[in-house]
Amino acid sequence: MLVRFWGTRGSIARPGLSTVRYGGNTSCTEVRSSSGTLVVLDCGTGALGLGQALVKNRPTPVNGHMLIGHTHWDHIQGFPFFAPLFISGNEWHIYGPRGVDASLRESLSGQMQYSYFPVTLDDLGATLHYHDLVEGTLEVGDIRVTTRYLNHPALTLGYRLEADGVSVVYCTDHEAYSTQRPEDQVQLAGEAVRHAQFISGADLLIHDAQYTSAEYAAKKGWGHSTPEYAVDSALSAGVRRLALFHHDPMRSDEAIDQLVAGARERVAQAKGTLEIFAAAEGQVLELERSVTPPRPSEPKKQTARWDSAVTPSRRTVLIAVGDSGVRRFLEEAVADDGLRLIPVSDCDSIPAMVKSEQPSLVLVKHGLENCDAVKLARTLREDPSTGAQELPIVLLRKSENPAEQRAESAAGITDWLMLPCSKEYARTRIHAWLLRVACRWKNAPQPEDEESRLRRLRASGLLDTAPEERFDRFTRIAAALFEVPIAFISLVDRDRQWFKSRTGIDATETSRDQAFCAHAILHNDIMQVTDAHADERFADNPQVIRGPRVRFYAGAPLSLGEGTPVGTLCVVDHRPRSLDDDQLKLLRDLSKLVERELLIGSSSGSS
Ligand SMILES: [Zn+2]
Ligand SMILES: [Zn+2]
């Protein structure tokens, strides 16, 4: 894997004599897998140079993926100057965290409004696809990407990239969750441990190191790290190489040299083997497979893609915080977000309320007179009838206490929010907890012959055509035959499923991420989901918890003669049920008839 830095500065570009060696451009890093997948990490002013290099002397399309950590200016200012986006025929996928207020696309178009910039997002020539992300994993070409929320006043994602047997973790605009040393933190739970797992064993860790520890004292809560914290985290997580990144605009080249020397000294004192440097504009690294294999995949694979249908608004949060000051603070922090905050006066009533209100988050203030948070956490975790094994329980604390926090963690407290903090910070953290639980369903893997499958589908000329009686009669028959309210013929396109015919639903298409049919086309025979609530592939799918409230699904694959099927004929019900063998045979028979119609209509013919 190849890594090239195009911009390493934080906050604002700082060209000039004092920054010649490490560079003045803001965050932009190019990553390439050996097979050629191109990933651009952040799009600060450094993206100008990268864009120019990419389009120079290249007649072929320049396609790639852009992963944006968050939409603060220093991470997106190069976007309107990134040349490949202006050339028609190029195709770019833009990924970033869904903001608290707005989608990624809305945030990016904000800086391209007429009063700031002469060209709008819609005027860009390339084909752009936007992907709002939450925590989880996704595949970008042959690179596996894991996302994790970082500690920053705005909702920010870090990215772990794994390909060619090596791993690169990009972790900037991030501050320590705790003032405890990382060795102590790993004893704790919560974000600190999640962060340690996230960077664990990385071949290269690109880490925020904006402030010296002297500066940090005055800049706590600004969302940036010290080199000391970066070094300690890297050492305790077994990282091979650490690139100090997001250099302060006021830091001269000589001052950065000193930070590096200090960081190396710290490694030597710890008798570590960590290799350290400060990322410099223009620097290229070729990462080779390490002797130790990369850490095994996390067993629970969640989709990292966000779906706008799952909004964290109208979600319920139980708050047991006692005095009205903290309560008012929380209410004001999330005032615009449509959350339902239910105040609770004593912890003993929370388990019953968890059952009746089904909250997405519980916030408890530490040290409340009539609230034993440890006992509460134990009850919620141990009593299966509460259904709260995974429910985030966050403790609001005025100070850290490693011994107490260890006990709290062992009892099942998820995390801590340290008070006082800013309202924006509290809001960002609350959203991170809610977004994590909001999105638990699985993307179907892509078929191996995906590109040729898509070519077959598109050559068929069936996509985006008008309704046709010859297909509609089959969905009507299927709905009547199996006594279901919904039946449709779905064609699974690159990012969506499009309904050639539908009975009982209004939508003309849904995203592929949500499509049961995206799973069904991977099967040779009918895929049956007898109860979506009990199936971890679908339990929290928006099509299940909202939308048509799918509870039962059966889909028969539709093939265009060869390769992976292009779509399905499926039936859906709002209640759990199943098809018996006779019914399955009928659905199979019907699907064969639909296949014949597909081939007749298909411009690729019935060859
Ligand atoms: Zn930044
Ligand atoms: Zn930032």
Side-chain angles (χ1 to χ4, degrees):
M1 200 185 313
L2 180 130
V3 177
R4 189 191 310 251
F5 295 108
W6 292 89
T8 61
R9 195 64 49 178
S11 305
I12 188 168
R14 185 73 199 275
L17 292 178
S18 65
T19 60
V20 168
R21 279 190 291 123
Y22 291 104
N25 280 305
T26 60
S27 303
C28 182
T29 303
E30 171 190 2
V31 178
R32 259 175 213 279
S33 71
S34 57
S35 75
T37 302
L38 168 63
V39 166
V40 179
L41 292 164
D42 274 335
C43 207
T45 62
L48 173 73
L50 169 60
Q52 293 300 321
L54 287 173
V55 300
K56 202 174 156 196
N57 308 326
R58 251 176 253 187
T60 51
V62 179
N63 302 333
H65 306 266
M66 191 180 286
L67 305 179
I68 293 179
H70 66 312
T71 52
H72 278 165
W73 272 346
D74 53 321
H75 299 258
I76 59 168
Q77 261 181 335
F79 190 82
F81 298 91
F82 188 61
L85 302 183
F86 287 85
I87 300 170
S88 80
N90 287 349
E91 191 168 359
W92 279 78
H93 291 264
I94 321 289
Y95 306 81
R98 188 191 153 79
V100 170
D101 304 303
S103 71
L104 173 66
R105 189 184 193 286
E106 288 161 345
S107 303
L108 286 174
S109 70
Q111 74 160 353
M112 292 176 77
Q113 279 169 16
Y114 187 68
S115 32
Y116 306 116
F117 197 72
V119 180
T120 72
L121 214 52
D122 294 326
D123 296 331
L124 297 175
T127 305
L128 301 189
H129 307 274
Y130 298 90
H131 307 277
D132 287 328
L133 298 180
V134 290
E135 282 190 348
T137 55
L138 71 158
E139 312 288 332
V140 168
D142 61 336
I143 300 179
R144 188 185 148 156
V145 179
T146 303
T147 59
R148 187 78 88 220
Y149 288 120
L150 301 178
N151 197 25
H152 199 59
L155 207 54
T156 301
L157 284 173
Y159 295 101
R160 182 183 179 107
L161 277 50
E162 292 170 321
D164 306 332
V166 295
S167 51
V168 175
V169 181
Y170 181 73
C171 179
T172 191
D173 295 61
H174 172 69
E175 177 172 357
Y177 287 103
S178 158
T179 55
Q180 307 298 317
R181 291 171 59 87
E183 305 86 277
D184 299 325
Q185 287 181 35
V186 290
Q187 307 295 322
L188 302 177
E191 301 290 0
V193 167
R194 295 168 66 86
H195 188 67
Q197 287 166 345
F198 180 54
I199 64 175
S200 166
D203 294 282
L204 173 65
L205 170 63
I206 303 167
H207 201 287
D208 189 316
Q210 180 157 357
Y211 300 135
T212 64
S213 28
E215 292 162 348
Y216 179 67
K219 300 196 164 162
K220 269 194 89 178
W222 291 30
H224 297 289
S225 301
T226 62
E228 288 84 352
Y229 166 65
V231 166
D232 292 352
S233 307
L235 278 175
S236 64
V239 167
R240 272 175 81 202
R241 274 203 265 190
L242 169 65
L244 304 179
F245 192 77
H246 207 268
H247 310 308
D248 192 89
M250 303 308 286
R251 192 95 51 229
S252 69
D253 288 335
E254 290 68 34
I256 292 178
D257 288 340
Q258 281 172 23
L259 289 189
V260 173
R264 287 181 180 153
E265 181 60 34
R266 197 173 178 86
V267 174
Q269 277 169 9
K271 297 192 168 50
T273 54
L274 176 67
E275 194 184 309
I276 295 182
F277 59 94
E281 202 171 308
Q283 185 179 9
V284 182
L285 301 166
E286 187 79 58
L287 299 182
E288 307 265 320
R289 190 184 292 269
S290 52
V291 188
T292 45
R295 72 189 175 132
S297 310
E298 287 169 41
K300 193 172 179 184
K301 193 176 169 189
Q302 292 178 13
T303 176
R305 293 195 195 191
W306 167 258
D307 197 285
S308 55
V310 194
T311 69
S313 61
R314 289 181 306 283
R315 286 183 168 258
T316 301
V317 180
L318 297 184
I319 53 171
V321 294
D323 72 84
S324 53
V326 178
R327 189 173 135 189
R328 217 171 24 248
F329 170 79
L330 291 173
E331 282 166 355
E332 285 170 14
V334 297
D336 299 328
D337 304 337
L339 299 178
R340 223 170 114 228
L341 297 189
I342 303 183
V344 189
S345 53
D346 66 299
C347 279
D348 289 343
S349 59
I350 288 182
M353 292 194 72
V354 165
K355 276 190 228 179
S356 62
E357 301 293 338
Q358 306 220 321
S360 304
L361 175 65
V362 178
L363 298 172
V364 182
K365 195 172 150 211
H366 175 257
L368 276 191
E369 215 173 275
N370 41 7
C371 247
D372 182 343
V374 168
K375 191 175 129 209
L376 168 70
R378 244 184 233 125
T379 309
L380 289 177
R381 300 307 185 213
E382 285 167 12
D383 177 0
S385 74
T386 60
Q389 280 63 47
E390 308 263 318
L391 175 68
I393 308 169
V394 176
L395 205 53
L396 279 53
R397 293 189 66 108
K398 287 220 166 94
S399 61
E400 291 186 84
N401 181 326
E404 278 182 24
Q405 284 175 265
R406 234 162 270 155
E408 288 158 8
S409 158
I413 295 288
T414 314
D415 204 0
W416 301 271
L417 179 66
M418 292 297 161
L419 299 176
C421 68
S422 72
K423 277 179 197 149
E424 294 70 29
Y425 180 73
R427 184 186 188 205
T428 301
R429 293 293 297 280
I430 287 170
H431 276 266
W433 289 309
L434 289 175
L435 287 168
R436 275 189 190 121
V437 290
C439 191
R440 217 171 284 146
W441 80 90
K442 287 182 179 173
N443 273 349
Q446 289 210 342
E448 274 183 8
D449 61 342
E450 178 63 4
E451 290 306 318
S452 61
R453 192 190 71 83
L454 286 171
R455 272 198 300 279
R456 281 197 303 280
L457 173 60
R458 284 168 188 180
S460 76
L462 288 160
L463 284 172
D464 299 307
T465 49
E468 289 177 75
E469 173 59 21
R470 65 195 181 97
F471 288 107
D472 291 345
R473 63 173 66 116
F474 285 111
T475 48
R476 281 201 307 274
I477 292 171
L481 189 61
F482 302 108
E483 294 175 350
V484 291
I486 296 170
F488 51 88
I489 294 169
S490 152
L491 300 175
V492 180
D493 197 5
R494 189 187 295 279
D495 291 321
R496 60 173 182 159
Q497 68 169 337
W498 181 79
F499 302 130
K500 176 59 206 168
S501 172
R502 57 205 155 88
T503 294
I505 42 167
D506 293 329
T508 55
E509 61 182 48
T510 75
S511 75
R512 184 169 177 172
D513 292 347
Q514 293 182 12
F516 281 56
C517 299
H519 292 264
I521 59 167
L522 301 171
H523 296 250
N524 292 326
D525 197 4
I526 293 168
M527 180 184 92
Q528 191 171 198
V529 179
T530 54
D531 185 356
H533 283 189
D535 190 318
E536 64 163 0
R537 291 172 300 174
F538 305 109
D540 284 342
N541 186 310
Q543 302 292 320
V544 175
I545 58 175
R546 295 171 210 282
R549 296 198 177 275
V550 177
R551 201 66 195 268
F552 159 77
Y553 169 97
L558 298 172
S559 163
L560 278 178
E562 54 182 74
T564 302
V566 293
T568 58
L569 167 68
C570 39
V571 290
V572 162
D573 204 342
H574 305 303
R575 58 202 167 92
R577 54 182 286 183
S578 62
L579 300 184
D580 63 27
D581 287 347
D582 291 340
Q583 290 173 311
L584 288 171
K585 183 169 182 312
L586 286 173
L587 181 59
R588 214 172 283 127
D589 290 343
L590 270 185
S591 73
K592 294 297 163 206
L593 294 173
V594 175
E595 270 180 355
R596 277 180 50 180
E597 288 299 332
L598 288 177
L599 286 165
I600 292 166
S602 155
S603 39
S604 62
S606 51
S607 59

